[in-house]
Amino acid sequence: MNNTRKNIAVIGLGSMGYGMAASALRGEHSVWGADINPEQVARFQAEGGQSSALSEAAGELDAVAVVVLNAAQTESVLFGEEGIVARLQPGSVVLACATVPPAFARDMAARCHDMGVHYLDAPISGGAAKAASGELSIMASGTPEAFAAARPLLDSIAQTVFELGDEPGAGSAMKAVNQLLAGVHIATMAEALTFGMTQGVAPEKFVEVISKCAGTSWMLENRAPHIVAGDYTPLSSVNIWPKDLGIVLDIAKSAQFSAPITAAAMQQFLAAAGMGHGGEDDTAVAKVYARNAGLTLPGEEE
């Protein structure tokens, strides 16, 4: 008998949440998957997820990972009309994985605490591939008891867990720093790639050369090949970045901190969304530059 086997729920079976749920299954946990898309739930159940209703199992859960889009969805999952916190057993733990303002994380933690449930402020990074392989990086903060309750799940889904202190909100603050860089890197990669095109540098040659030079970044190496392939299937969509960079800018404003480069990157993502590319892969921000410069990106040739 594996005494570290736990009853786990993953709420939100998008590209990140589905991979996390699958990784928890490989960790020999009993895992319930929940999503507004019933096809995702059925798919997960067919791959080994529990088939009983989450509402029926909630009282037996040890941990719930909430992998939704934003603060509003997180609050709805936790405390809405069918909120799960009220159904959880005392001593269970919520892993809140969305990018949210630190103040929101502190509020959710306090409300969970009042109901006898631990809360781990646990934003995630690494992309869909690392979620699927159980190799995420997690920027986490919370009480020692929250970490202890979450440890079996964390061990299944993460390669690196950064323990950032006892106070919820510290994880979300670090995630905001990460998202500032990630969003700027994607927009800058798109700018550099299309700038290169104006100078006769083909996108595939850009990737070959720059990925081995000082100008590279993880985001460049991960995202630029999508543009080369002309594949804008959304692993991470354009629409995520106005939200995440908006959080960064709100935090910056409250700290009386100027973040002009973040603001410029956000405008490019807003422009991409305004062009109708909001649901596409976030590399579709390159289409803003291509349109303005009269360029034709790979896969868009007539």
PDB file of all heavy atoms in Angstrom, residues 228-258:
ATOM      1  N   VAL A 228       7.617  29.853 -37.280  1.00  0.00           N
ATOM      2  CA  VAL A 228       8.259  29.196 -38.418  1.00  0.00           C
ATOM      3  C   VAL A 228       7.331  28.150 -39.026  1.00  0.00           C
ATOM      4  O   VAL A 228       7.227  28.014 -40.253  1.00  0.00           O
ATOM      5  CB  VAL A 228       9.594  28.552 -37.990  1.00  0.00           C
ATOM      6  CG1 VAL A 228      10.180  27.721 -39.132  1.00  0.00           C
ATOM      7  CG2 VAL A 228      10.590  29.632 -37.565  1.00  0.00           C
ATOM      8  N   ALA A 229       6.614  27.408 -38.159  1.00  0.00           N
ATOM      9  CA  ALA A 229       5.708  26.351 -38.630  1.00  0.00           C
ATOM     10  C   ALA A 229       4.371  26.913 -39.101  1.00  0.00           C
ATOM     11  O   ALA A 229       3.574  26.180 -39.694  1.00  0.00           O
ATOM     12  CB  ALA A 229       5.477  25.338 -37.522  1.00  0.00           C
ATOM     13  N   GLY A 230       4.109  28.200 -38.838  1.00  0.00           N
ATOM     14  CA  GLY A 230       2.805  28.758 -39.168  1.00  0.00           C
ATOM     15  C   GLY A 230       1.691  28.114 -38.383  1.00  0.00           C
ATOM     16  O   GLY A 230       0.545  28.036 -38.840  1.00  0.00           O
ATOM     17  N   ASP A 231       2.000  27.638 -37.171  1.00  0.00           N
ATOM     18  CA  ASP A 231       1.035  26.900 -36.341  1.00  0.00           C
ATOM     19  C   ASP A 231       0.688  27.753 -35.127  1.00  0.00           C
ATOM     20  O   ASP A 231       1.504  27.911 -34.216  1.00  0.00           O
ATOM     21  CB  ASP A 231       1.633  25.565 -35.919  1.00  0.00           C
ATOM     22  CG  ASP A 231       0.650  24.706 -35.124  1.00  0.00           C
ATOM     23  OD1 ASP A 231      -0.489  25.162 -34.903  1.00  0.00           O
ATOM     24  OD2 ASP A 231       1.028  23.589 -34.719  1.00  0.00           O
ATOM     25  N   TYR A 232      -0.529  28.260 -35.112  1.00  0.00           N
ATOM     26  CA  TYR A 232      -0.971  29.124 -34.020  1.00  0.00           C
ATOM     27  C   TYR A 232      -2.013  28.428 -33.138  1.00  0.00           C
ATOM     28  O   TYR A 232      -2.850  29.082 -32.516  1.00  0.00           O
ATOM     29  CB  TYR A 232      -1.489  30.445 -34.580  1.00  0.00           C
ATOM     30  CG  TYR A 232      -0.397  31.210 -35.299  1.00  0.00           C
ATOM     31  CD1 TYR A 232      -0.239  31.105 -36.685  1.00  0.00           C
ATOM     32  CD2 TYR A 232       0.506  32.000 -34.594  1.00  0.00           C
ATOM     33  CE1 TYR A 232       0.781  31.775 -37.344  1.00  0.00           C
ATOM     34  CE2 TYR A 232       1.531  32.676 -35.243  1.00  0.00           C
ATOM     35  CZ  TYR A 232       1.661  32.560 -36.610  1.00  0.00           C
ATOM     36  OH  TYR A 232       2.691  33.227 -37.260  1.00  0.00           O
ATOM     37  N   THR A 233      -1.931  27.096 -33.102  1.00  0.00           N
ATOM     38  CA  THR A 233      -2.762  26.340 -32.165  1.00  0.00           C
ATOM     39  C   THR A 233      -2.438  26.812 -30.752  1.00  0.00           C
ATOM     40  O   THR A 233      -1.272  26.815 -30.346  1.00  0.00           O
ATOM     41  CB  THR A 233      -2.476  24.828 -32.276  1.00  0.00           C
ATOM     42  OG1 THR A 233      -2.695  24.417 -33.624  1.00  0.00           O
ATOM     43  CG2 THR A 233      -3.377  24.031 -31.345  1.00  0.00           C
ATOM     44  N   PRO A 234      -3.431  27.222 -29.980  1.00  0.00           N
ATOM     45  CA  PRO A 234      -3.129  27.910 -28.714  1.00  0.00           C
ATOM     46  C   PRO A 234      -2.696  26.985 -27.577  1.00  0.00           C
ATOM     47  O   PRO A 234      -3.521  26.365 -26.913  1.00  0.00           O
ATOM     48  CB  PRO A 234      -4.454  28.605 -28.379  1.00  0.00           C
ATOM     49  CG  PRO A 234      -5.503  27.747 -29.011  1.00  0.00           C
ATOM     50  CD  PRO A 234      -4.882  27.202 -30.265  1.00  0.00           C
ATOM     51  N   LEU A 235      -1.395  26.909 -27.369  1.00  0.00           N
ATOM     52  CA  LEU A 235      -0.893  26.290 -26.137  1.00  0.00           C
ATOM     53  C   LEU A 235      -0.937  27.312 -25.009  1.00  0.00           C
ATOM     54  O   LEU A 235      -1.160  26.966 -23.848  1.00  0.00           O
ATOM     55  CB  LEU A 235       0.530  25.779 -26.362  1.00  0.00           C
ATOM     56  CG  LEU A 235       0.684  24.707 -27.444  1.00  0.00           C
ATOM     57  CD1 LEU A 235       2.140  24.296 -27.596  1.00  0.00           C
ATOM     58  CD2 LEU A 235      -0.194  23.493 -27.123  1.00  0.00           C
ATOM     59  N   SER A 236      -0.714  28.551 -25.343  1.00  0.00           N
ATOM     60  CA  SER A 236      -0.903  29.700 -24.454  1.00  0.00           C
ATOM     61  C   SER A 236      -1.382  30.818 -25.343  1.00  0.00           C
ATOM     62  O   SER A 236      -0.696  31.193 -26.284  1.00  0.00           O
ATOM     63  CB  SER A 236       0.415  30.066 -23.758  1.00  0.00           C
ATOM     64  OG  SER A 236       0.283  31.270 -23.028  1.00  0.00           O
ATOM     65  N   SER A 237      -2.558  31.362 -25.062  1.00  0.00           N
ATOM     66  CA  SER A 237      -3.190  32.240 -26.044  1.00  0.00           C
ATOM     67  C   SER A 237      -2.806  33.701 -25.858  1.00  0.00           C
ATOM     68  O   SER A 237      -2.366  34.132 -24.787  1.00  0.00           O
ATOM     69  CB  SER A 237      -4.710  32.107 -25.966  1.00  0.00           C
ATOM     70  OG  SER A 237      -5.197  32.704 -24.784  1.00  0.00           O
ATOM     71  N   VAL A 238      -2.996  34.463 -26.918  1.00  0.00           N
ATOM     72  CA  VAL A 238      -2.803  35.915 -26.871  1.00  0.00           C
ATOM     73  C   VAL A 238      -3.597  36.524 -25.718  1.00  0.00           C
ATOM     74  O   VAL A 238      -3.119  37.405 -24.999  1.00  0.00           O
ATOM     75  CB  VAL A 238      -3.222  36.550 -28.214  1.00  0.00           C
ATOM     76  CG1 VAL A 238      -3.405  38.063 -28.069  1.00  0.00           C
ATOM     77  CG2 VAL A 238      -2.202  36.240 -29.303  1.00  0.00           C
ATOM     78  N   ASN A 239      -4.826  36.048 -25.511  1.00  0.00           N
ATOM     79  CA  ASN A 239      -5.711  36.656 -24.515  1.00  0.00           C
ATOM     80  C   ASN A 239      -5.186  36.562 -23.089  1.00  0.00           C
ATOM     81  O   ASN A 239      -5.638  37.313 -22.213  1.00  0.00           O
ATOM     82  CB  ASN A 239      -7.099  36.018 -24.583  1.00  0.00           C
ATOM     83  CG  ASN A 239      -7.924  36.549 -25.730  1.00  0.00           C
ATOM     84  OD1 ASN A 239      -7.683  37.649 -26.226  1.00  0.00           O
ATOM     85  ND2 ASN A 239      -8.891  35.773 -26.175  1.00  0.00           N
ATOM     86  N   ILE A 240      -4.274  35.644 -22.834  1.00  0.00           N
ATOM     87  CA  ILE A 240      -3.728  35.531 -21.488  1.00  0.00           C
ATOM     88  C   ILE A 240      -2.911  36.762 -21.113  1.00  0.00           C
ATOM     89  O   ILE A 240      -2.893  37.199 -19.948  1.00  0.00           O
ATOM     90  CB  ILE A 240      -2.862  34.259 -21.374  1.00  0.00           C
ATOM     91  CG1 ILE A 240      -3.769  33.029 -21.346  1.00  0.00           C
ATOM     92  CG2 ILE A 240      -1.955  34.291 -20.145  1.00  0.00           C
ATOM     93  CD1 ILE A 240      -3.019  31.714 -21.407  1.00  0.00           C
ATOM     94  N   TRP A 241      -2.261  37.372 -22.102  1.00  0.00           N
ATOM     95  CA  TRP A 241      -1.266  38.395 -21.772  1.00  0.00           C
ATOM     96  C   TRP A 241      -1.844  39.741 -21.385  1.00  0.00           C
ATOM     97  O   TRP A 241      -1.297  40.399 -20.464  1.00  0.00           O
ATOM     98  CB  TRP A 241      -0.239  38.482 -22.898  1.00  0.00           C
ATOM     99  CG  TRP A 241       0.557  37.215 -22.881  1.00  0.00           C
ATOM    100  CD1 TRP A 241       0.446  36.157 -23.738  1.00  0.00           C
ATOM    101  CD2 TRP A 241       1.508  36.824 -21.892  1.00  0.00           C
ATOM    102  NE1 TRP A 241       1.282  35.127 -23.351  1.00  0.00           N
ATOM    103  CE2 TRP A 241       1.946  35.514 -22.215  1.00  0.00           C
ATOM    104  CE3 TRP A 241       2.039  37.444 -20.768  1.00  0.00           C
ATOM    105  CZ2 TRP A 241       2.888  34.828 -21.466  1.00  0.00           C
ATOM    106  CZ3 TRP A 241       2.979  36.766 -20.006  1.00  0.00           C
ATOM    107  CH2 TRP A 241       3.388  35.467 -20.359  1.00  0.00           C
ATOM    108  N   PRO A 242      -2.924  40.240 -21.985  1.00  0.00           N
ATOM    109  CA  PRO A 242      -3.523  41.457 -21.416  1.00  0.00           C
ATOM    110  C   PRO A 242      -3.926  41.270 -19.958  1.00  0.00           C
ATOM    111  O   PRO A 242      -3.798  42.200 -19.152  1.00  0.00           O
ATOM    112  CB  PRO A 242      -4.734  41.692 -22.328  1.00  0.00           C
ATOM    113  CG  PRO A 242      -4.315  41.111 -23.644  1.00  0.00           C
ATOM    114  CD  PRO A 242      -3.534  39.870 -23.281  1.00  0.00           C
ATOM    115  N   LYS A 243      -4.395  40.064 -19.606  1.00  0.00           N
ATOM    116  CA  LYS A 243      -4.729  39.789 -18.212  1.00  0.00           C
ATOM    117  C   LYS A 243      -3.483  39.795 -17.334  1.00  0.00           C
ATOM    118  O   LYS A 243      -3.413  40.524 -16.332  1.00  0.00           O
ATOM    119  CB  LYS A 243      -5.424  38.430 -18.088  1.00  0.00           C
ATOM    120  CG  LYS A 243      -5.665  37.991 -16.633  1.00  0.00           C
ATOM    121  CD  LYS A 243      -6.176  36.582 -16.561  1.00  0.00           C
ATOM    122  CE  LYS A 243      -5.114  35.535 -16.806  1.00  0.00           C
ATOM    123  NZ  LYS A 243      -4.186  35.381 -15.658  1.00  0.00           N
ATOM    124  N   ASP A 244      -2.489  38.985 -17.705  1.00  0.00           N
ATOM    125  CA  ASP A 244      -1.319  38.838 -16.840  1.00  0.00           C
ATOM    126  C   ASP A 244      -0.491  40.119 -16.776  1.00  0.00           C
ATOM    127  O   ASP A 244      -0.048  40.532 -15.696  1.00  0.00           O
ATOM    128  CB  ASP A 244      -0.449  37.680 -17.317  1.00  0.00           C
ATOM    129  CG  ASP A 244      -1.036  36.329 -16.948  1.00  0.00           C
ATOM    130  OD1 ASP A 244      -2.195  36.295 -16.491  1.00  0.00           O
ATOM    131  OD2 ASP A 244      -0.347  35.309 -17.119  1.00  0.00           O
ATOM    132  N   LEU A 245      -0.271  40.761 -17.929  1.00  0.00           N
ATOM    133  CA  LEU A 245       0.483  42.009 -17.900  1.00  0.00           C
ATOM    134  C   LEU A 245      -0.338  43.129 -17.264  1.00  0.00           C
ATOM    135  O   LEU A 245       0.227  44.053 -16.660  1.00  0.00           O
ATOM    136  CB  LEU A 245       0.933  42.395 -19.308  1.00  0.00           C
ATOM    137  CG  LEU A 245       1.924  41.421 -19.952  1.00  0.00           C
ATOM    138  CD1 LEU A 245       2.341  41.918 -21.329  1.00  0.00           C
ATOM    139  CD2 LEU A 245       3.148  41.179 -19.078  1.00  0.00           C
ATOM    140  N   GLY A 246      -1.657  43.020 -17.353  1.00  0.00           N
ATOM    141  CA  GLY A 246      -2.506  43.964 -16.636  1.00  0.00           C
ATOM    142  C   GLY A 246      -2.332  43.843 -15.128  1.00  0.00           C
ATOM    143  O   GLY A 246      -2.306  44.854 -14.406  1.00  0.00           O
ATOM    144  N   ILE A 247      -2.211  42.605 -14.636  1.00  0.00           N
ATOM    145  CA  ILE A 247      -1.940  42.393 -13.208  1.00  0.00           C
ATOM    146  C   ILE A 247      -0.605  43.012 -12.839  1.00  0.00           C
ATOM    147  O   ILE A 247      -0.477  43.693 -11.811  1.00  0.00           O
ATOM    148  CB  ILE A 247      -1.970  40.891 -12.879  1.00  0.00           C
ATOM    149  CG1 ILE A 247      -3.402  40.344 -12.961  1.00  0.00           C
ATOM    150  CG2 ILE A 247      -1.382  40.619 -11.489  1.00  0.00           C
ATOM    151  CD1 ILE A 247      -3.498  38.835 -12.847  1.00  0.00           C
ATOM    152  N   VAL A 248       0.399  42.777 -13.682  1.00  0.00           N
ATOM    153  CA  VAL A 248       1.727  43.362 -13.416  1.00  0.00           C
ATOM    154  C   VAL A 248       1.626  44.878 -13.312  1.00  0.00           C
ATOM    155  O   VAL A 248       2.170  45.501 -12.385  1.00  0.00           O
ATOM    156  CB  VAL A 248       2.727  42.960 -14.513  1.00  0.00           C
ATOM    157  CG1 VAL A 248       4.035  43.735 -14.362  1.00  0.00           C
ATOM    158  CG2 VAL A 248       2.992  41.457 -14.480  1.00  0.00           C
ATOM    159  N   LEU A 249       0.931  45.495 -14.260  1.00  0.00           N
ATOM    160  CA  LEU A 249       0.839  46.949 -14.275  1.00  0.00           C
ATOM    161  C   LEU A 249       0.022  47.484 -13.103  1.00  0.00           C
ATOM    162  O   LEU A 249       0.320  48.553 -12.559  1.00  0.00           O
ATOM    163  CB  LEU A 249       0.261  47.419 -15.602  1.00  0.00           C
ATOM    164  CG  LEU A 249       1.187  47.211 -16.807  1.00  0.00           C
ATOM    165  CD1 LEU A 249       0.451  47.489 -18.110  1.00  0.00           C
ATOM    166  CD2 LEU A 249       2.432  48.086 -16.697  1.00  0.00           C
ATOM    167  N   ASP A 250      -1.000  46.743 -12.686  1.00  0.00           N
ATOM    168  CA  ASP A 250      -1.770  47.153 -11.508  1.00  0.00           C
ATOM    169  C   ASP A 250      -0.905  47.122 -10.249  1.00  0.00           C
ATOM    170  O   ASP A 250      -0.969  48.031  -9.413  1.00  0.00           O
ATOM    171  CB  ASP A 250      -2.988  46.248 -11.331  1.00  0.00           C
ATOM    172  CG  ASP A 250      -4.094  46.531 -12.332  1.00  0.00           C
ATOM    173  OD1 ASP A 250      -4.068  47.606 -12.968  1.00  0.00           O
ATOM    174  OD2 ASP A 250      -4.982  45.671 -12.479  1.00  0.00           O
ATOM    175  N   ILE A 251      -0.112  46.043 -10.118  1.00  0.00           N
ATOM    176  CA  ILE A 251       0.786  45.946  -8.965  1.00  0.00           C
ATOM    177  C   ILE A 251       1.814  47.075  -9.020  1.00  0.00           C
ATOM    178  O   ILE A 251       2.112  47.716  -8.004  1.00  0.00           O
ATOM    179  CB  ILE A 251       1.491  44.580  -8.944  1.00  0.00           C
ATOM    180  CG1 ILE A 251       0.465  43.447  -8.754  1.00  0.00           C
ATOM    181  CG2 ILE A 251       2.542  44.512  -7.839  1.00  0.00           C
ATOM    182  CD1 ILE A 251       1.046  42.060  -8.981  1.00  0.00           C
ATOM    183  N   ALA A 252       2.347  47.329 -10.224  1.00  0.00           N
ATOM    184  CA  ALA A 252       3.334  48.400 -10.374  1.00  0.00           C
ATOM    185  C   ALA A 252       2.738  49.750  -9.984  1.00  0.00           C
ATOM    186  O   ALA A 252       3.378  50.555  -9.292  1.00  0.00           O
ATOM    187  CB  ALA A 252       3.849  48.431 -11.809  1.00  0.00           C
ATOM    188  N   LYS A 253       1.505  49.989 -10.408  1.00  0.00           N
ATOM    189  CA  LYS A 253       0.860  51.258 -10.072  1.00  0.00           C
ATOM    190  C   LYS A 253       0.711  51.418  -8.573  1.00  0.00           C
ATOM    191  O   LYS A 253       0.971  52.488  -8.005  1.00  0.00           O
ATOM    192  CB  LYS A 253      -0.508  51.338 -10.755  1.00  0.00           C
ATOM    193  CG  LYS A 253      -1.236  52.647 -10.510  1.00  0.00           C
ATOM    194  CD  LYS A 253      -2.563  52.673 -11.254  1.00  0.00           C
ATOM    195  CE  LYS A 253      -3.314  53.988 -11.005  1.00  0.00           C
ATOM    196  NZ  LYS A 253      -4.613  54.010 -11.718  1.00  0.00           N
ATOM    197  N   SER A 254       0.307  50.325  -7.905  1.00  0.00           N
ATOM    198  CA  SER A 254       0.129  50.405  -6.451  1.00  0.00           C
ATOM    199  C   SER A 254       1.456  50.636  -5.738  1.00  0.00           C
ATOM    200  O   SER A 254       1.483  51.182  -4.630  1.00  0.00           O
ATOM    201  CB  SER A 254      -0.534  49.129  -5.927  1.00  0.00           C
ATOM    202  OG  SER A 254       0.338  48.015  -6.030  1.00  0.00           O
ATOM    203  N   ALA A 255       2.559  50.218  -6.363  1.00  0.00           N
ATOM    204  CA  ALA A 255       3.886  50.419  -5.787  1.00  0.00           C
ATOM    205  C   ALA A 255       4.542  51.703  -6.281  1.00  0.00           C
ATOM    206  O   ALA A 255       5.701  51.960  -5.965  1.00  0.00           O
ATOM    207  CB  ALA A 255       4.786  49.221  -6.113  1.00  0.00           C
ATOM    208  N   GLN A 256       3.793  52.487  -7.073  1.00  0.00           N
ATOM    209  CA  GLN A 256       4.325  53.715  -7.678  1.00  0.00           C
ATOM    210  C   GLN A 256       5.602  53.418  -8.465  1.00  0.00           C
ATOM    211  O   GLN A 256       6.590  54.155  -8.408  1.00  0.00           O
ATOM    212  CB  GLN A 256       4.570  54.789  -6.607  1.00  0.00           C
ATOM    213  CG  GLN A 256       3.292  55.229  -5.906  1.00  0.00           C
ATOM    214  CD  GLN A 256       3.510  56.348  -4.916  1.00  0.00           C
ATOM    215  OE1 GLN A 256       4.516  56.376  -4.216  1.00  0.00           O
ATOM    216  NE2 GLN A 256       2.572  57.280  -4.854  1.00  0.00           N
ATOM    217  N   PHE A 257       5.525  52.328  -9.244  1.00  0.00           N
ATOM    218  CA  PHE A 257       6.659  51.859 -10.036  1.00  0.00           C
ATOM    219  C   PHE A 257       6.304  51.976 -11.504  1.00  0.00           C
ATOM    220  O   PHE A 257       5.257  51.495 -11.949  1.00  0.00           O
ATOM    221  CB  PHE A 257       6.985  50.408  -9.682  1.00  0.00           C
ATOM    222  CG  PHE A 257       8.122  49.819 -10.482  1.00  0.00           C
ATOM    223  CD1 PHE A 257       9.435  50.045 -10.110  1.00  0.00           C
ATOM    224  CD2 PHE A 257       7.872  49.053 -11.611  1.00  0.00           C
ATOM    225  CE1 PHE A 257      10.482  49.515 -10.841  1.00  0.00           C
ATOM    226  CE2 PHE A 257       8.916  48.516 -12.358  1.00  0.00           C
ATOM    227  CZ  PHE A 257      10.227  48.749 -11.962  1.00  0.00           C
ATOM    228  N   SER A 258       7.175  52.590 -12.287  1.00  0.00           N
ATOM    229  CA  SER A 258       6.956  52.734 -13.724  1.00  0.00           C
ATOM    230  C   SER A 258       7.464  51.498 -14.452  1.00  0.00           C
ATOM    231  O   SER A 258       8.590  51.053 -14.232  1.00  0.00           O
ATOM    232  CB  SER A 258       7.692  53.976 -14.233  1.00  0.00           C
ATOM    233  OG  SER A 258       7.578  54.083 -15.640  1.00  0.00           O
TER     234      SER A 258
END
